[in-house]
Amino acid sequence: MVLEVKAMHIGDVMLDWSRLLLDFQLGKKTWVPCNCFLILGAKTPVLVDTGFSSAADMQVYGMRGSEIPEQDLVQQLKGYGVQPEDVGYIIHTQLHVDHCGKNQFFPNARIVVQRKEIGYGAGELKPYHCPYISWFVSNLNRMEFLDGDAEILPGLKCVQTIGHTGGSQDVEVMTDKGKAIMCGDNVYDIPMQLEGKHPSGRIWVTGYYYHQELLMKELYKYKKEMERGTMILPTHAYEVYDRYQLGQRFGDKKRSYEGLPTID
């Protein structure tokens, strides 16, 4: 079965470069998008991540968020003919604050997450890892916990890729444009991490990780996949719009490779 992937630009976040790339541009900032993905063509629409709940919530956790009306997730879904109650599955690549903030809008969706990730999210000391843990506990009847790789629907596979968090997972599908891998935050920056644009010329690990060695292993896999023509689709990369043209990019925010000296 050939599936279709649509990227939805639901907001932007300003982060320190050293969070994106280990020890890079410490103290300098850049904008990154917050992307969710809609998978069409299966027996039910599938969402990959649901973004942050609001820009104000991002400030609570020490990050600057930005959102404009055009970025509303529910309205973007309706533009593809999908009502919130139509969504059959929400697959979370991980459970940071900017990945699972709008689950409550999808009353009929099964929630798919790695069992290790829900355990990691409940035990992680940093509050932005999984601030919605009480929501998951209150909706256990809707949860599907995975213990490793699993095919959720024909042509749609979850692959456990521990690295950025203790239970990260990718979502792999075959589309009419070829293979696509939604990789969450295992990749932050395609040019710098996978295409040799980092000053070192090497693959470079992200600045936030659970297990550096495991994450580097995944990064080498993504690089090989890209060389074979696979679309690598991170949560925080503008390339999903500018390169792969999988959706509409909104607003005037962009990544600054020089770095923004202050949060204005």
PDB file of all heavy atoms in Angstrom, residues 85-107:
ATOM      1  N   GLU A  85     -12.179  13.943  14.868  1.00  0.00           N
ATOM      2  CA  GLU A  85     -12.723  12.631  15.241  1.00  0.00           C
ATOM      3  C   GLU A  85     -12.406  11.544  14.228  1.00  0.00           C
ATOM      4  O   GLU A  85     -12.584  10.352  14.502  1.00  0.00           O
ATOM      5  CB  GLU A  85     -14.237  12.717  15.456  1.00  0.00           C
ATOM      6  CG  GLU A  85     -15.026  13.192  14.255  1.00  0.00           C
ATOM      7  CD  GLU A  85     -15.218  14.701  14.200  1.00  0.00           C
ATOM      8  OE1 GLU A  85     -14.431  15.432  14.848  1.00  0.00           O
ATOM      9  OE2 GLU A  85     -16.154  15.138  13.504  1.00  0.00           O
ATOM     10  N   ASP A  86     -11.890  11.926  13.048  1.00  0.00           N
ATOM     11  CA  ASP A  86     -11.533  10.941  12.018  1.00  0.00           C
ATOM     12  C   ASP A  86     -10.192  10.268  12.300  1.00  0.00           C
ATOM     13  O   ASP A  86      -9.931   9.170  11.774  1.00  0.00           O
ATOM     14  CB  ASP A  86     -11.449  11.608  10.641  1.00  0.00           C
ATOM     15  CG  ASP A  86     -12.783  12.173  10.168  1.00  0.00           C
ATOM     16  OD1 ASP A  86     -13.834  11.700  10.632  1.00  0.00           O
ATOM     17  OD2 ASP A  86     -12.747  13.112   9.347  1.00  0.00           O
ATOM     18  N   VAL A  87      -9.331  10.925  13.071  1.00  0.00           N
ATOM     19  CA  VAL A  87      -7.977  10.412  13.290  1.00  0.00           C
ATOM     20  C   VAL A  87      -8.042   9.125  14.102  1.00  0.00           C
ATOM     21  O   VAL A  87      -8.574   9.097  15.211  1.00  0.00           O
ATOM     22  CB  VAL A  87      -7.110  11.462  14.010  1.00  0.00           C
ATOM     23  CG1 VAL A  87      -5.734  10.887  14.337  1.00  0.00           C
ATOM     24  CG2 VAL A  87      -6.978  12.720  13.150  1.00  0.00           C
ATOM     25  N   GLY A  88      -7.499   8.045  13.532  1.00  0.00           N
ATOM     26  CA  GLY A  88      -7.567   6.739  14.181  1.00  0.00           C
ATOM     27  C   GLY A  88      -6.375   6.416  15.055  1.00  0.00           C
ATOM     28  O   GLY A  88      -6.498   5.640  16.009  1.00  0.00           O
ATOM     29  N   TYR A  89      -5.215   6.999  14.720  1.00  0.00           N
ATOM     30  CA  TYR A  89      -4.004   6.740  15.484  1.00  0.00           C
ATOM     31  C   TYR A  89      -3.205   8.030  15.642  1.00  0.00           C
ATOM     32  O   TYR A  89      -3.117   8.834  14.711  1.00  0.00           O
ATOM     33  CB  TYR A  89      -3.104   5.708  14.800  1.00  0.00           C
ATOM     34  CG  TYR A  89      -3.615   4.293  14.826  1.00  0.00           C
ATOM     35  CD1 TYR A  89      -4.392   3.796  13.792  1.00  0.00           C
ATOM     36  CD2 TYR A  89      -3.315   3.445  15.900  1.00  0.00           C
ATOM     37  CE1 TYR A  89      -4.863   2.487  13.806  1.00  0.00           C
ATOM     38  CE2 TYR A  89      -3.776   2.143  15.928  1.00  0.00           C
ATOM     39  CZ  TYR A  89      -4.553   1.673  14.882  1.00  0.00           C
ATOM     40  OH  TYR A  89      -5.023   0.383  14.909  1.00  0.00           O
ATOM     41  N   ILE A  90      -2.624   8.216  16.808  1.00  0.00           N
ATOM     42  CA  ILE A  90      -1.562   9.195  17.039  1.00  0.00           C
ATOM     43  C   ILE A  90      -0.333   8.408  17.436  1.00  0.00           C
ATOM     44  O   ILE A  90      -0.342   7.667  18.423  1.00  0.00           O
ATOM     45  CB  ILE A  90      -1.926  10.186  18.158  1.00  0.00           C
ATOM     46  CG1 ILE A  90      -3.105  11.066  17.742  1.00  0.00           C
ATOM     47  CG2 ILE A  90      -0.711  11.059  18.506  1.00  0.00           C
ATOM     48  CD1 ILE A  90      -3.650  11.920  18.873  1.00  0.00           C
ATOM     49  N   ILE A  91       0.733   8.557  16.663  1.00  0.00           N
ATOM     50  CA  ILE A  91       1.996   7.888  16.969  1.00  0.00           C
ATOM     51  C   ILE A  91       2.972   8.941  17.462  1.00  0.00           C
ATOM     52  O   ILE A  91       3.211   9.949  16.793  1.00  0.00           O
ATOM     53  CB  ILE A  91       2.575   7.178  15.739  1.00  0.00           C
ATOM     54  CG1 ILE A  91       1.574   6.158  15.176  1.00  0.00           C
ATOM     55  CG2 ILE A  91       3.894   6.477  16.094  1.00  0.00           C
ATOM     56  CD1 ILE A  91       2.017   5.511  13.883  1.00  0.00           C
ATOM     57  N   HIS A  92       3.524   8.724  18.647  1.00  0.00           N
ATOM     58  CA  HIS A  92       4.475   9.683  19.202  1.00  0.00           C
ATOM     59  C   HIS A  92       5.896   9.188  18.987  1.00  0.00           C
ATOM     60  O   HIS A  92       6.258   8.088  19.412  1.00  0.00           O
ATOM     61  CB  HIS A  92       4.225   9.897  20.692  1.00  0.00           C
ATOM     62  CG  HIS A  92       3.030  10.750  20.969  1.00  0.00           C
ATOM     63  ND1 HIS A  92       2.901  12.016  20.452  1.00  0.00           N
ATOM     64  CD2 HIS A  92       1.899  10.516  21.682  1.00  0.00           C
ATOM     65  CE1 HIS A  92       1.755  12.528  20.838  1.00  0.00           C
ATOM     66  NE2 HIS A  92       1.120  11.641  21.585  1.00  0.00           N
ATOM     67  N   THR A  93       6.702  10.041  18.328  1.00  0.00           N
ATOM     68  CA  THR A  93       8.121   9.703  18.175  1.00  0.00           C
ATOM     69  C   THR A  93       8.822   9.758  19.527  1.00  0.00           C
ATOM     70  O   THR A  93       9.789   9.044  19.761  1.00  0.00           O
ATOM     71  CB  THR A  93       8.804  10.665  17.199  1.00  0.00           C
ATOM     72  OG1 THR A  93       8.657  12.017  17.671  1.00  0.00           O
ATOM     73  CG2 THR A  93       8.192  10.538  15.806  1.00  0.00           C
ATOM     74  N   GLN A  94       8.328  10.618  20.421  1.00  0.00           N
ATOM     75  CA  GLN A  94       8.825  10.744  21.794  1.00  0.00           C
ATOM     76  C   GLN A  94       7.844  11.634  22.542  1.00  0.00           C
ATOM     77  O   GLN A  94       6.836  12.057  21.979  1.00  0.00           O
ATOM     78  CB  GLN A  94      10.253  11.292  21.832  1.00  0.00           C
ATOM     79  CG  GLN A  94      10.462  12.473  20.909  1.00  0.00           C
ATOM     80  CD  GLN A  94      10.909  13.724  21.610  1.00  0.00           C
ATOM     81  OE1 GLN A  94      10.546  13.993  22.748  1.00  0.00           O
ATOM     82  NE2 GLN A  94      11.715  14.519  20.923  1.00  0.00           N
ATOM     83  N   LEU A  95       8.135  11.926  23.814  1.00  0.00           N
ATOM     84  CA  LEU A  95       7.131  12.599  24.639  1.00  0.00           C
ATOM     85  C   LEU A  95       7.598  13.926  25.231  1.00  0.00           C
ATOM     86  O   LEU A  95       7.157  14.320  26.311  1.00  0.00           O
ATOM     87  CB  LEU A  95       6.666  11.661  25.769  1.00  0.00           C
ATOM     88  CG  LEU A  95       5.956  10.385  25.310  1.00  0.00           C
ATOM     89  CD1 LEU A  95       5.571   9.527  26.509  1.00  0.00           C
ATOM     90  CD2 LEU A  95       4.732  10.707  24.457  1.00  0.00           C
ATOM     91  N   HIS A  96       8.450  14.649  24.526  1.00  0.00           N
ATOM     92  CA  HIS A  96       8.775  15.990  24.983  1.00  0.00           C
ATOM     93  C   HIS A  96       7.563  16.902  24.836  1.00  0.00           C
ATOM     94  O   HIS A  96       6.609  16.601  24.110  1.00  0.00           O
ATOM     95  CB  HIS A  96       9.961  16.545  24.191  1.00  0.00           C
ATOM     96  CG  HIS A  96      11.287  16.130  24.750  1.00  0.00           C
ATOM     97  ND1 HIS A  96      12.462  16.277  24.052  1.00  0.00           N
ATOM     98  CD2 HIS A  96      11.621  15.558  25.936  1.00  0.00           C
ATOM     99  CE1 HIS A  96      13.474  15.826  24.794  1.00  0.00           C
ATOM    100  NE2 HIS A  96      12.986  15.388  25.929  1.00  0.00           N
ATOM    101  N   VAL A  97       7.625  18.050  25.500  1.00  0.00           N
ATOM    102  CA  VAL A  97       6.496  18.974  25.581  1.00  0.00           C
ATOM    103  C   VAL A  97       5.989  19.413  24.210  1.00  0.00           C
ATOM    104  O   VAL A  97       4.803  19.693  24.032  1.00  0.00           O
ATOM    105  CB  VAL A  97       6.885  20.209  26.435  1.00  0.00           C
ATOM    106  CG1 VAL A  97       8.042  20.963  25.805  1.00  0.00           C
ATOM    107  CG2 VAL A  97       5.707  21.119  26.679  1.00  0.00           C
ATOM    108  N   ASP A  98       6.859  19.463  23.207  1.00  0.00           N
ATOM    109  CA  ASP A  98       6.466  19.934  21.880  1.00  0.00           C
ATOM    110  C   ASP A  98       6.067  18.798  20.929  1.00  0.00           C
ATOM    111  O   ASP A  98       5.989  19.019  19.720  1.00  0.00           O
ATOM    112  CB  ASP A  98       7.598  20.766  21.267  1.00  0.00           C
ATOM    113  CG  ASP A  98       8.935  20.051  21.279  1.00  0.00           C
ATOM    114  OD1 ASP A  98       9.104  19.096  22.055  1.00  0.00           O
ATOM    115  OD2 ASP A  98       9.835  20.445  20.508  1.00  0.00           O
ATOM    116  N   HIS A  99       5.780  17.631  21.480  1.00  0.00           N
ATOM    117  CA  HIS A  99       5.392  16.494  20.641  1.00  0.00           C
ATOM    118  C   HIS A  99       4.017  15.921  20.982  1.00  0.00           C
ATOM    119  O   HIS A  99       3.466  15.166  20.177  1.00  0.00           O
ATOM    120  CB  HIS A  99       6.430  15.365  20.764  1.00  0.00           C
ATOM    121  CG  HIS A  99       7.731  15.679  20.105  1.00  0.00           C
ATOM    122  ND1 HIS A  99       8.139  15.110  18.915  1.00  0.00           N
ATOM    123  CD2 HIS A  99       8.727  16.526  20.469  1.00  0.00           C
ATOM    124  CE1 HIS A  99       9.317  15.592  18.577  1.00  0.00           C
ATOM    125  NE2 HIS A  99       9.699  16.451  19.510  1.00  0.00           N
ATOM    126  N   CYS A 100       3.488  16.253  22.132  1.00  0.00           N
ATOM    127  CA  CYS A 100       2.241  15.594  22.549  1.00  0.00           C
ATOM    128  C   CYS A 100       1.276  16.544  23.245  1.00  0.00           C
ATOM    129  O   CYS A 100       0.512  16.139  24.119  1.00  0.00           O
ATOM    130  CB  CYS A 100       2.538  14.399  23.439  1.00  0.00           C
ATOM    131  SG  CYS A 100       3.643  14.739  24.838  1.00  0.00           S
ATOM    132  N   GLY A 101       1.268  17.810  22.825  1.00  0.00           N
ATOM    133  CA  GLY A 101       0.478  18.809  23.521  1.00  0.00           C
ATOM    134  C   GLY A 101      -0.968  18.942  23.097  1.00  0.00           C
ATOM    135  O   GLY A 101      -1.743  19.631  23.768  1.00  0.00           O
ATOM    136  N   LYS A 102      -1.364  18.307  21.978  1.00  0.00           N
ATOM    137  CA  LYS A 102      -2.729  18.495  21.484  1.00  0.00           C
ATOM    138  C   LYS A 102      -3.497  17.170  21.346  1.00  0.00           C
ATOM    139  O   LYS A 102      -4.481  17.098  20.611  1.00  0.00           O
ATOM    140  CB  LYS A 102      -2.700  19.229  20.137  1.00  0.00           C
ATOM    141  CG  LYS A 102      -2.235  20.684  20.229  1.00  0.00           C
ATOM    142  CD  LYS A 102      -2.379  21.389  18.898  1.00  0.00           C
ATOM    143  CE  LYS A 102      -2.124  22.892  19.034  1.00  0.00           C
ATOM    144  NZ  LYS A 102      -0.707  23.203  19.294  1.00  0.00           N
ATOM    145  N   ASN A 103      -3.083  16.164  22.067  1.00  0.00           N
ATOM    146  CA  ASN A 103      -3.774  14.869  21.981  1.00  0.00           C
ATOM    147  C   ASN A 103      -5.253  14.969  22.323  1.00  0.00           C
ATOM    148  O   ASN A 103      -6.081  14.225  21.778  1.00  0.00           O
ATOM    149  CB  ASN A 103      -3.115  13.858  22.931  1.00  0.00           C
ATOM    150  CG  ASN A 103      -1.776  13.373  22.422  1.00  0.00           C
ATOM    151  OD1 ASN A 103      -1.218  13.926  21.485  1.00  0.00           O
ATOM    152  ND2 ASN A 103      -1.245  12.340  23.044  1.00  0.00           N
ATOM    153  N   GLN A 104      -5.596  15.872  23.214  1.00  0.00           N
ATOM    154  CA  GLN A 104      -6.967  15.939  23.714  1.00  0.00           C
ATOM    155  C   GLN A 104      -7.976  16.322  22.642  1.00  0.00           C
ATOM    156  O   GLN A 104      -9.184  16.142  22.833  1.00  0.00           O
ATOM    157  CB  GLN A 104      -7.054  16.929  24.881  1.00  0.00           C
ATOM    158  CG  GLN A 104      -6.828  18.391  24.523  1.00  0.00           C
ATOM    159  CD  GLN A 104      -5.364  18.795  24.538  1.00  0.00           C
ATOM    160  OE1 GLN A 104      -4.479  17.943  24.517  1.00  0.00           O
ATOM    161  NE2 GLN A 104      -5.111  20.096  24.592  1.00  0.00           N
ATOM    162  N   PHE A 105      -7.509  16.835  21.506  1.00  0.00           N
ATOM    163  CA  PHE A 105      -8.424  17.232  20.439  1.00  0.00           C
ATOM    164  C   PHE A 105      -8.885  16.064  19.567  1.00  0.00           C
ATOM    165  O   PHE A 105      -9.723  16.242  18.682  1.00  0.00           O
ATOM    166  CB  PHE A 105      -7.766  18.296  19.550  1.00  0.00           C
ATOM    167  CG  PHE A 105      -7.501  19.591  20.252  1.00  0.00           C
ATOM    168  CD1 PHE A 105      -6.210  20.087  20.354  1.00  0.00           C
ATOM    169  CD2 PHE A 105      -8.528  20.323  20.833  1.00  0.00           C
ATOM    170  CE1 PHE A 105      -5.945  21.282  21.010  1.00  0.00           C
ATOM    171  CE2 PHE A 105      -8.278  21.518  21.486  1.00  0.00           C
ATOM    172  CZ  PHE A 105      -6.982  22.000  21.582  1.00  0.00           C
ATOM    173  N   PHE A 106      -8.338  14.870  19.798  1.00  0.00           N
ATOM    174  CA  PHE A 106      -8.600  13.732  18.914  1.00  0.00           C
ATOM    175  C   PHE A 106      -9.225  12.592  19.719  1.00  0.00           C
ATOM    176  O   PHE A 106      -8.535  11.675  20.169  1.00  0.00           O
ATOM    177  CB  PHE A 106      -7.301  13.318  18.229  1.00  0.00           C
ATOM    178  CG  PHE A 106      -6.644  14.475  17.515  1.00  0.00           C
ATOM    179  CD1 PHE A 106      -5.598  15.177  18.110  1.00  0.00           C
ATOM    180  CD2 PHE A 106      -7.114  14.897  16.289  1.00  0.00           C
ATOM    181  CE1 PHE A 106      -5.018  16.264  17.478  1.00  0.00           C
ATOM    182  CE2 PHE A 106      -6.539  15.982  15.638  1.00  0.00           C
ATOM    183  CZ  PHE A 106      -5.496  16.669  16.231  1.00  0.00           C
ATOM    184  N   PRO A 107     -10.538  12.640  19.895  1.00  0.00           N
ATOM    185  CA  PRO A 107     -11.212  11.760  20.865  1.00  0.00           C
ATOM    186  C   PRO A 107     -11.205  10.283  20.515  1.00  0.00           C
ATOM    187  O   PRO A 107     -11.367   9.443  21.406  1.00  0.00           O
ATOM    188  CB  PRO A 107     -12.646  12.309  20.898  1.00  0.00           C
ATOM    189  CG  PRO A 107     -12.833  12.951  19.550  1.00  0.00           C
ATOM    190  CD  PRO A 107     -11.498  13.538  19.215  1.00  0.00           C
TER     191      PRO A 107
END
